[in-house]
Every structure is written in C-alpha cells, then in structure tokens.
Amino acid sequence: MAEPLELKKTLNLPKTDFPMKASLPQNEPKQLEAWHGGNIYERILEARKGKPLFVLHDGPPYPTGEIHLGTGLNKILKDLVVKTKSMAGHYAPYVPGWDCHGLPIETQVEKELGGKGKVPPAEFRKLCRQFALRYVEQHKKDFKRLGIFGRWNDPYLTMSHEYEATIAGAFLDFMEKGYVYRGRKPVYWCLFDSTALAEAEVEYEDHTSPSIWVKFAAVVGGRGEAPKVGADVSAVIWTTTPWTIPHNRALAFHPDFEYAVVETEKGALLLATDRVAALQAECGIKEAKVRATFKGRDFDGVKFQHPFLPIHVPGILANYVTLDQGSGIVHTAPGHGADDFYSGQKYGLEIYAPLDDKGVYLEGLPEYKGKDVFTANPIIVKLLGERGALLGHHEYRHSYPHCWRCHNPVIFRATEQWFIKMDQAAHGKENTLRQEALEEIHHVKWIPAWGEDRMYEMIEKRPDWCVSRQRFWGVPIIVFYCEGCGTRLEDFKALGNVVKWFEKEGADAWYQHTPEELLPAGTTCICGATKWRKENDILDVWFDSGSSNLAVLKGTEWPADVYLEGPDQYRGWFHSSLLVATGVRDAAPYRGVVTHGWTLDEQGRPMSKSLGNALYPIEICEKWGADLLRLWVGSVEYQADVKMSERVMTQLSEAYRKIRNTFRFALGNLGDFNPSRDALSNDQLEEIDRWMLDRTAELVKKCREWYANYEFHRVYHAIHDYCVVDLSAFYFDVLKDRLYTKAPRNKSRRSAQNAVWKISSALIRLAAPILVFTSEEIWKYFPKSQSEPESVHMSLFPEAAAVAGGIAKDAAEKWERLAQVRSAVLLALEQARAAKAIGGNLEAKVLLHVDPHGSALQKLLEEKRSVLPALFIVSQVEVQPSAIPGSLQAESQPELSIKIDRAEGAKCERCWNYSTHVGENSRYPKVCERCSEALAEIERDGSVNVAAT
C-alpha cells in the first residue's frame, strides 16, 4: 500500500507569479514599449473593423511647456471614452491634435529671440514651427506615458499644409456666403502684444483702477438747451477708466429712470435719484437737497460741456444703463466700449479712439498726448481736478479683463478689423448665423445639462466675431486689394487658387510668393489693373481650432459623437467649432459635448507654480505610476472641480492595493484551471457560485451603462467596492475552505474556480479602461480561453447574460437573506473573540434560533444548514428549534438569536476545523471526516505526488 500523503502538500494553496507589489513606475514603461512596438492601437482598430463608428474629436492644446494636471485629466478622460467605446464594440479611432498657431507660440519664440521684430516674418514663422514641433514631440511622449492610445505617429497639427488649407478654405466660404466684413469697431486690444483679442482670449483678474466721479456742466442756450434743469447744474458720471474721458462723446440716460437735481456743497448735481446716497458716501457730500426730478427721456438731446475739451456732448437714451453702480448716467466713448459703440452708431456719434497699437495717445492735450493710457490715468484725474470737474476719487479693486497669455490688462479700442457678422444670413438663406447656431444647440446632448443654457446664452449675446489678428504666426486672411483702385478682389474662384498653394506649401506660401504668383495668371480688377496687394492680418487662432472638424473628420466621421473639454471652452473651442461648422456645413460639428471641471489643490485653490501647489502628471507617474493617476481620474466626479493632493494619492494607492490583491487571490486559485478543460455549465455549479455570478452580471450591466453615460466614477467605486466588500471580505473568504481543502479536481472546487474565473474575466475587462497597465498585467497571467486576444484592450466588455449564473429569483433572495445573517454572526464572533471566549473563528460553534415570528428564516436556516459552517467560516453550526440560554438578539435581525460556544472535538491538522470525527481514519488519524474524503479522492485521482517522508 502507498505511503500516506504529506498533509500540507495536499492543500491547494494559491500559487501565481503575479507579483504582490505593482512597481508601476518601473514596470509601466516596459509595457508601453511592448504596446507601441506591437502597434497596439492599430491592432485594436483592425479588430474593430466593420463595427459601428464612434468618434471623439480631440480639442487641440497648445504645444508650450510641460503638461499640467488639468491637461492630464483632460487626456485621460478622453482615453476613457475611447477605450470604453472600443471595448463596447465600436470602431473608435482617436486622433490627437495640437493648436500650433497663435500668441502662445509667438510669445515663447519672441522670448527666445530677446524681443519682437528681430527677424523677418518668414524666418519668424519658421522658428515658430520648430518651437511647436519640439513641444509636440514632448507632449506626445508625456501623453503616451499616461497609457493613452491613439494615432501618435500621425496626429493633426493646425500648422500642417492640409490643415492650413482647410482654414483658408473655410474663411473663403464664410466670405463668399456674405458673413465677412471689415469694419471699425471696439475690440479687446492687448497693448503688450499689439493685437486684437477675441472674447475667448480674455481672462478676468483682480485689478486696481482709479474710480472717479466727474461733472459735465449742462449747456443753456441754443438748440438742446435745458431750461428746466438750470444753468448751474452739472450731470455726474462715474468711471474706472479716466483715460477714456478725452474720447467722451455723449452721456447716456435710461429713458424710464427718475433723475434728480440735488443741491450740495459741491454744486447742483444731476444723477439718478436712486444713486444720490451712493454719491454722498463716495464723494463725502454731507447734504443733498432735491430741487427737481425728471425722467431720463427728458435729457434726450440736451447738451453738456466736456470737462476739459472745447466740445459739447449730447444726452442720449440707452436701456443698458443700470442703477447697480455709478450715477445712473453713463459716460459714453464710442471708440472704447461695445454698448458705447452701438449707441454711437444709433446717434451718429464720432467713433473716436486716436491711440496707436501700444495705447499711446496720438491726439489730445499736451498733458497726455504721447503717453500710454495707463500712464495717462493719474494725469487726467489731476487735469479734472484742476478744471473743477472732479467730485471724488479713490482706488477701486475689481475684476478686469487681461490678456490670456501675457496677463497684462487690456483695453477696448476701436480699430479696423475683419469680422464675421452674427446677424447676417448667408446668401440665399433666411436665418442668420446666430439663429442657425442657436437652433443647432438644441440638437446636441450636453453633459452636464447646464451646458446647453451656457452655450445658448453665449451665442445669443455675443457680438460679431473679430477674426483678424495683427500677428505673423497663423493663417493669413486671404484678401487682395487692387494696387490701382484699392478694390478688394471678390473673384472666389481666383482666391481659391491660394488654397491650392497652401495645400502644397502651407500658409508660408503667402509670405514667400507674390500676389501674382498666388493668383491665377491674368487675374484682373474691375478697373483693369493686374497688380495686387496682400492683406497683412492673420486669422484668429479660435477660427483655426474651430476648423478642426473640417480638417480632421472625414466622411462619416463628421459630425463627431462627442467633444470633451473644460468649462472655458464654452467661449473657446466648443464655441468657435459650432460657429465654423454651422457657417460652412449648416450643422453643429458634435452630437454631444462633455465638460469637466478644474483641478484644485486640497484647499480648493487652483494649482500653479507660483503657489507651489502644482502637481504634474509625469511627477505622479514617477512616484506612483500612471495607473494611480488614471485611478484618480476615474474616481472623481469630474464634471465638477476636482481636488488633488499627496494625501489623495496615498488614499488611492491603498484602494489600488486592495483591488490588485483581489485579482492576485483569483489568479492564485486559478493556477491549475484550464477553461477549455475545466469549464462547467451553470447547472453544474453550486448555488452560491451561481448567485455570485448573477451579482457580477448585474455589476456588468450597471458598469456598461455608466461607461456609456461617461459616469466613470460610478464604475470605479462599484468595482472597488465589489472587490473589497463582496469578493475579498465575503465570497473569496467563504471559498477559501473549498478551494484549498477539496481535491484538485473535485466538482465543488471546480465550481468555485469556474465562478472565480468568470468573475475575474469580467472585472479585468471592466477595469481595463481605467487601470490600463494593471489590467494588461493581470491578463498575461489569467487563464484565457483560446478565443481571447493577446491584449485585454483588444477584448470586448463582458456581456451580462454570458456572466450570469441563472439562479432562480427566490433562490437569490434566500442568499441575500443568508448574507444578512452572516453579517450578524460575524459581529457575534467578533464580540466572542474580544471576550476571549474563542481565539479564531474556527474554534467556534454557532447556535442559532429564530423566534416564532421568523418562521421563514427558521425554515431557510434549516434548509441551508449544511452550508452554514462554510458561510460563517466556523467549525460547527446548529439551528435550534427552541430558545437558547445565554444567546443574544442580533441587532440587525431582531427575530434571530445567536450564541457562540467553543467548537466540539479536536482540531483537524489539515483544514484546522474542529470535528468530533478527528482520529476515526486510521490512515490519517489527525484529520476530520471532510479531509479524509478529500485525501481519498486525491489518492484515487493520483492528482498529487506528495507522499510523507
């Protein structure tokens, strides 16, 4: 007879080469090399050929500097969308892009050159292109390090020949449809960079301005006299831009407000009745006696004397006048404000703004002529005081527009610019560009839903789009003027010839060829001249990036299924893309728009180098690994602002460790499992295994729905909780005895392995979009069926129906109730251990009793009596028909009483359970009856060769 087996070697203890320690910073780069060396992105697309198309169109960042945490959040979110759609069975290409033109690049190149105008335009453009390419390559490397798959070898660049040709073609399309005009209007103007700015290029920052209250004396006599007001009365205005006073051309009154003449120690003053108290408080006026009241409409056409210039300015009416600040009378300089400009047009006022590109006065009194506007502020305040027109003056801290790149304060300045008219219908159409864009907004799915209202409000209220810039690095405005008569060329077929040049040489062709070379031979003006002059301005970079849908999305890829960016893009890329696409193709370029929040530190402050609180994606990768950063992105409710800190990463690393250990347990217990050999049908599985498969199927269903709705944080928390609570703390804990002590090929053990295999297979794939590196690592060690691909990222999400165990509803309800009983029993066991009544749980015998009101539970416990020891992980369980002396009522189950006694019998040296049958097997005298059966089965099968020595 063969020697008895060595007990320890008969246990099926977990065995796997999958490491406990992740070492992500060291191992992820190796995986990256393998992925890109094996063309993972191309292979995924090849595997999805013929599947439904899904397109996320990438919003192009500027290739300047190191990518910051907000950029990392943005790119990882996009990658989550693409990967989830791919694994849901879509053909989901991802083409990353960069916005290579514009002020950010120019500013950096000028810094490297040591100033502006150091080289000719063509050379400057070459340097800008080289700078952009340098950072594109750096960004590529950094984005790939985050585990992001895409067409990295062929991204889209707004400076590519094809793209620049598309931009130029789109502008010509707008021009041919009648949207484009050149006009003199106030626009945001950066004095430092000497260029116009779009609203999207302006950021509001705190700024201290001089706040002044100024008198404009009423003019009596002649046309426009004000006999009711009196010769001694002065209208009062308030402004924080004293430098605009020289360019004042009117005073605006609200037609329906009440205005009062008040007698004060500083003279008789005219202002809105509701603002008298504010005037007194800010100008130190002690008494203000009302002499007379009027309606604003009474001052239409009344003349007032400019405080220091020999001109009279009229009273005008305007509904934009408010009573929130100031005097209720608005100082109106049509060359320096949008409302002022429109009032100027209505009343025929002079659009006066004699400033150069640096904001220096070209005309005016000697006191301020030749000085820039901000230097002139105190000079003009002093001048007002000397002329007796200054009522009050103090410093005023407020939010003021600044240039988004140089962060210097900007001004409103009337200049000649190119505009796209919002309230113009294209030739042959009824609806204006604004109307069409507003209608398209309703056809888009906005996530969060407030995005629809935000975009609608911005389009509804925006002025005409100023699309010209006084720079070099961009796409030139394709306009030619006749050298003979100055007429603009409107032969669009001829202008289209320039687009062909751009296709061959890029926009550099504009600077390297003469007009006669760019235009078709013989292009002639209506005056007969054949010599042409090129426009000097370039297009707004937002027109560039807004054209990306035209340049990148080919055929059925247009419109994109989704755009995903931060909240600033409602006035940026979301906005310009909508206008360009609506103007060119009469429809929105996206079916859906998803918005994420800002990245903040632990105290809720924006991250910045100056505050010393910035965390950078590459630093995080080097310390914790990209999967930890991705886990953070997947864990936060990204549609609101999100916080990040060292403490957050430490907490996430613990969550990651628990998830990883759950998979390690599964892999360790699947070491001898071959799905093609050991798979069982659901009806061959034990009931608890089928129940857990059903629960996993429900998780699969929910996660797939959440992924489809871009609710990634729900997926992460569900997977984490399922791994930690449902599997590690419950199911896997219960399975240990069956997995470890049953004979290797025992049907009960194979049932457990089948469930673990199916559950793990589902969870690996569900986690793959978030934990890209870890899921791939797990996949390498996972026993796959022959049909499974080499990479988890080439696989599909699990189908809930394929995972489900198919347990009956009433049986599932029984297991739900048993799980509740288990929780109550575990609490009682914990109390018994604390009281030193038992050491470990296997030393316990659990006695249960259900009072008469709980007959259904009593019946259930008796029915499942045989599985209760394994469920509770104790040696023995008894279900008593009568009350148990010394038992305690379970708090969560009031009808249930529990008592913990010490288990009867001796401890089995193999499974450590206590049994009264230990010693009955003469061949194995130190094991229980369960282990005797397992050992006999092992010996019959010859499944181990572990004879005792």
Side-chain angles (χ1 to χ4, degrees):
M1 187 175 182
E3 290 292 320
L5 303 175
E6 185 178 342
L7 297 182
K8 185 177 180 180
K9 292 184 177 179
T10 65
L11 294 172
N12 311 302
L13 296 178
K15 185 178 181 180
T16 179
D17 291 329
F18 179 73
M20 181 180 294
K21 188 176 181 181
S23 300
L24 295 176
Q26 293 75 38
N27 292 330
E28 287 175 345
K30 299 174 187 175
Q31 182 59 67
L32 278 176
E33 190 175 342
W35 274 336
H36 295 297
N39 299 316
I40 183 66
Y41 171 72
E42 291 76 13
R43 290 171 65 197
I44 291 171
L45 289 185
E46 183 64 30
R48 300 290 184 268
K49 266 191 174 178
K51 301 296 183 182
L53 177 67
F54 181 91
V55 176
L56 177 146
H57 182 38
D58 188 33
Y62 287 107
T64 55
E66 185 179 2
I67 66 169
H68 53 74
L69 189 61
T71 316
L73 170 72
N74 175 271
K75 289 294 183 182
I76 291 172
L77 283 172
K78 290 173 181 175
D79 191 57
L80 289 177
V81 171
V82 174
K83 282 189 169 74
T84 55
K85 293 300 180 181
S86 174
M87 294 189 74
H90 289 271
Y91 183 87
Y94 173 62
V95 182
W98 279 268
D99 195 354
C100 302
H101 292 138
L103 203 53
I105 309 292
E106 288 202 37
T107 301
Q108 295 298 322
V109 172
E110 285 168 353
K111 284 181 182 178
E112 293 184 358
L113 289 172
K116 303 175 188 291
K118 299 289 185 180
V119 295
E123 178 64 19
F124 184 73
R125 287 176 60 86
K126 180 181 177 182
L127 293 173
C128 287
R129 185 178 298 277
Q130 291 172 352
F131 180 94
L133 278 174
R134 187 163 79 238
Y135 277 98
V136 164
E137 291 306 313
Q138 181 59 51
H139 282 194
K140 275 188 197 179
K141 179 182 175 183
D142 292 346
F143 289 143
K144 287 195 280 188
R145 178 65 186 87
L146 302 180
I148 297 166
F149 296 166
R151 201 177 77 186
W152 298 113
N153 294 332
D154 184 25
Y156 79 85
L157 306 177
T158 61
M159 65 182 182
S160 72
H161 295 176
E162 179 187 3
Y163 196 116
E164 289 181 333
T166 300
I167 297 168
F171 179 75
L172 290 180
D173 201 338
F174 269 85
M175 186 177 286
E176 189 171 8
K177 289 178 177 178
Y179 289 125
V180 179
Y181 70 96
R182 186 167 177 83
R184 181 176 173 82
K185 294 174 64 175
V187 295
Y188 286 114
W189 186 270
C190 178
L191 306 179
F192 181 83
D193 292 308
S194 301
T195 188
L197 299 173
E199 287 190 22
E201 296 171 316
V202 171
E203 295 176 347
Y204 282 81
E205 301 176 14
D206 285 345
H207 181 70
T208 300
S209 299
S211 167
I212 59 173
W213 297 73
V214 181
K215 295 190 296 183
F216 282 67
V219 177
V220 178
R223 187 173 182 274
E225 67 178 14
K228 295 180 183 178
V229 178
D232 61 339
V233 173
S234 293
V236 178
I237 65 95
W238 171 79
T239 184
T240 58
T241 55
W243 64 268
T244 60
I245 293 290
H247 304 158
N248 175 282
R249 290 300 180 266
L251 302 184
F253 296 77
H254 193 289
D256 301 325
F257 289 170
E258 182 181 87
Y259 291 83
V261 173
V262 292
E263 295 178 353
T264 75
E265 64 268 31
K266 296 188 178 183
L269 305 175
L270 171 65
L271 70 160
T273 304
D274 288 349
R275 298 302 297 166
V276 172
L279 171 73
Q280 288 183 268
E282 296 206 26
C283 297
I285 294 174
K286 296 178 181 178
E287 294 186 14
K289 182 180 178 182
V290 177
R291 177 198 296 178
T293 59
F294 306 88
K295 286 293 185 182
R297 65 177 60 90
D298 295 332
F299 299 100
D300 187 10
V302 171
K303 293 292 179 20
F304 297 88
Q305 176 63 52
H306 191 283
F308 52 74
L309 295 176
I311 59 173
H312 293 167
V313 298
I316 62 174
L317 304 182
N319 289 325
Y320 55 76
V321 178
T322 71
L323 298 175
D324 297 335
Q325 290 178 307
S327 66
I329 303 173
V330 174
H331 147 58
T332 301
H336 297 296
D339 289 333
D340 306 48
F341 174 79
Y342 292 118
S343 288
Q345 285 191 315
K346 178 180 177 182
Y347 283 92
L349 305 175
E350 181 184 15
I351 311 301
Y352 189 62
L355 305 174
D356 70 8
D357 290 351
K358 292 296 183 182
V360 173
Y361 290 93
L362 300 175
E363 300 176 10
L365 298 182
E367 286 88 344
Y368 54 83
K369 182 180 178 182
K371 295 180 172 60
D372 71 81
V373 295
F374 293 117
T375 302
N377 264 336
I379 295 171
I380 290 169
V381 172
K382 181 182 178 184
L383 183 60
L384 288 168
E386 291 172 349
R387 299 299 177 94
L390 186 65
L391 283 172
H393 171 219
H394 65 272
E395 296 300 300
Y396 180 66
R397 190 77 174 164
H398 62 138
S399 182
Y400 186 86
H402 286 65
C403 175
W404 67 321
R405 295 311 303 177
C406 68
H407 298 286
N408 287 302
V410 301
I411 65 170
F412 249 115
R413 175 193 176 208
T415 60
E416 288 283 334
Q417 300 289 342
W418 288 95
F419 296 89
I420 289 176
K421 194 169 185 62
M422 293 298 298
D423 297 311
Q424 173 72 44
H427 295 318
K429 301 189 75 173
E430 293 184 4
N431 290 336
T432 66
L433 179 60
R434 189 190 310 276
Q435 289 169 333
E436 292 201 348
L438 290 173
E439 178 60 30
E440 285 301 309
I441 290 170
H442 297 313
H443 301 156
V444 176
K445 182 176 181 180
W446 301 88
I447 301 174
W450 51 254
E452 180 172 355
D453 290 338
R454 178 176 291 191
M455 181 60 85
Y456 194 94
E457 182 179 6
M458 287 194 165
I459 296 292
E460 184 180 41
K461 295 181 178 180
R462 70 155 296 140
D464 288 350
W465 184 0
C466 176
V467 293
S468 51
R469 296 292 180 273
Q470 291 66 50
R471 310 294 294 182
F472 292 115
W473 180 229
V475 175
I477 291 176
I478 308 302
V479 167
F480 296 89
Y481 304 96
C482 174
E483 289 277 25
C485 67
T487 300
R488 177 161 62 88
L489 178 64
E490 295 188 359
D491 181 343
F492 290 101
K493 185 176 181 181
L495 291 171
N497 199 63
V498 180
V499 176
K500 296 177 182 177
W501 275 98
F502 284 12
E503 288 172 352
K504 292 183 292 183
E505 299 182 11
D508 289 344
W510 189 258
Y511 301 91
Q512 295 169 345
H513 296 279
T514 66
E516 289 69 36
E517 289 175 314
L518 294 170
L519 293 168
T523 301
T524 306
C525 179
I526 54 175
C527 74
T530 56
K531 293 291 184 181
W532 299 93
R533 171 174 55 86
K534 291 180 285 189
E535 170 64 54
N536 291 322
D537 289 351
I538 64 170
L539 282 165
D540 174 15
V541 288
W542 290 108
F543 193 93
D544 289 15
S545 59
S547 302
S548 63
N549 65 91
L550 307 176
V552 180
L553 306 181
K554 307 298 183 183
T556 56
E557 294 175 346
W558 198 99
D561 290 285
V562 71
Y563 278 31
L564 190 158
E565 301 296 336
D568 53 336
Q569 298 309 315
Y570 283 91
R571 63 192 184 104
W573 190 56
F574 297 160
H575 194 121
S576 64
S577 296
L578 176 64
L579 293 182
V580 171
T582 303
V584 174
R585 294 192 178 173
D586 304 319
Y590 37 66
R591 296 187 179 96
V593 170
V594 179
T595 310
H596 64 75
W598 302 109
T599 53
L600 310 174
D601 70 7
E602 201 166 16
Q603 284 74 45
R605 301 173 301 171
M607 290 190 173
S608 69
K609 284 184 179 179
S610 59
L611 288 175
N613 63 349
L615 287 174
Y616 292 90
I618 298 308
E619 292 176 356
I620 292 172
C621 290
E622 290 172 352
K623 183 172 183 178
W624 284 290
D627 262 4
L628 262 292
L629 180 59
R630 296 180 68 97
L631 200 64
W632 171 71
V633 173
S635 71
V636 296
E637 294 190 48
Y638 66 85
Q639 292 169 20
D641 293 344
V642 293
K643 294 182 179 180
M644 165 62 96
S645 66
E646 295 258 350
R647 187 177 65 85
V648 168
M649 291 306 297
T650 300
Q651 291 172 342
L652 279 172
S653 65
E654 178 61 18
Y656 171 84
R657 184 187 65 81
K658 291 177 179 178
I659 293 172
R660 184 179 182 89
N661 283 347
T662 301
F663 281 114
R664 190 168 188 273
F665 175 89
L667 293 174
N669 285 282
L670 293 173
D672 65 337
F673 181 80
N674 184 331
S676 61
R677 179 194 67 205
D678 302 321
L680 301 175
S681 61
N682 282 343
D683 58 6
Q684 294 175 292
L685 302 182
E686 294 197 7
E687 197 173 67
I688 187 174
D689 300 330
R690 297 178 68 184
W691 175 58
M692 285 304 296
L693 286 173
D694 276 351
R695 293 186 65 187
T696 306
E698 185 60 28
L699 176 71
V700 167
K701 181 182 177 184
K702 288 179 179 178
C703 286
R704 292 195 61 168
E705 289 173 357
W706 291 328
Y707 270 141
N709 293 322
Y710 313 123
E711 296 177 289
F712 307 123
H713 67 288
R714 292 181 181 272
V715 176
Y716 159 73
H717 288 292
I719 291 175
H720 172 269
D721 292 350
Y722 200 70
C723 285
V724 174
V725 178
D726 297 79
L727 296 180
S728 294
F730 171 55
Y731 183 55
F732 285 178
D733 210 23
V734 170
L735 285 187
K736 285 176 183 175
D737 184 76
R738 211 186 335 158
L739 288 168
Y740 298 174
T741 67
K742 294 289 185 181
R745 300 170 190 166
N746 180 271
K747 185 179 177 182
S748 176
R749 181 170 181 269
R750 289 300 192 209
S751 173
Q753 285 183 306
N754 269 265
V756 171
W757 181 73
K758 276 192 169 185
I759 291 169
S760 300
S761 175
L763 288 179
I764 297 168
R765 287 177 285 162
L766 288 177
I770 299 173
L771 295 174
V772 289
F773 293 97
T774 303
S775 61
E776 189 76 306
E777 183 186 9
I778 296 167
W779 193 252
K780 292 176 184 176
Y781 293 93
F782 185 70
K784 295 178 283 293
S785 62
Q786 292 181 351
S787 62
E788 294 288 1
E790 177 187 346
S791 169
V792 68
H793 300 297
M794 294 174 66
S795 68
L796 296 170
F797 280 142
E799 296 290 344
V803 176
I807 194 173
K809 183 180 178 182
D810 61 337
E813 290 172 350
K814 288 178 181 179
W815 280 103
E816 294 286 352
R817 190 67 196 279
L818 287 173
Q820 296 169 0
V821 172
R822 181 179 188 269
S823 297
V825 170
L826 292 183
L827 181 59
L829 288 166
E830 183 181 343
Q831 294 167 345
R833 290 196 307 274
K836 308 297 185 185
I838 58 172
N841 286 5
L842 290 177
E843 295 178 12
K845 175 182 180 180
V846 177
L847 290 83
L848 303 175
H849 169 69
V850 182
D851 68 32
H853 295 96
S855 58
L857 179 58
Q858 178 78 14
K859 184 179 178 182
L860 174 61
L861 294 176
E862 290 173 351
E863 177 190 336
K864 301 294 185 183
R865 188 194 302 262
S866 63
V867 301
L868 295 181
L871 186 64
F872 302 155
I873 315 179
V874 297
S875 291
Q876 295 140 20
V877 177
E878 288 186 6
V879 181
Q880 303 281 15
S882 56
I884 306 167
S887 64
L888 295 175
Q889 186 181 46
E891 290 184 14
S892 60
Q893 309 280 323
E895 70 274 32
L896 178 66
S897 296
I898 305 171
K899 184 180 181 185
I900 307 298
D901 283 348
R902 289 193 68 85
E904 299 171 0
K907 181 179 179 179
C908 173
E909 287 195 2
R910 184 170 180 270
C911 70
W912 294 9
N913 277 267
Y914 283 76
S915 172
T916 55
H917 299 286
V918 172
E920 293 180 356
N921 186 331
S922 59
R923 182 168 171 79
Y924 297 102
K926 295 183 179 181
V927 303
C928 65
E929 69 281 10
R930 294 165 58 253
C931 286
S932 292
E933 184 180 330
L935 291 166
E937 187 175 346
I938 291 170
E939 290 182 332
R940 280 197 310 272
D941 291 348
S943 53
V944 290
N945 183 19
V946 288
T949 56

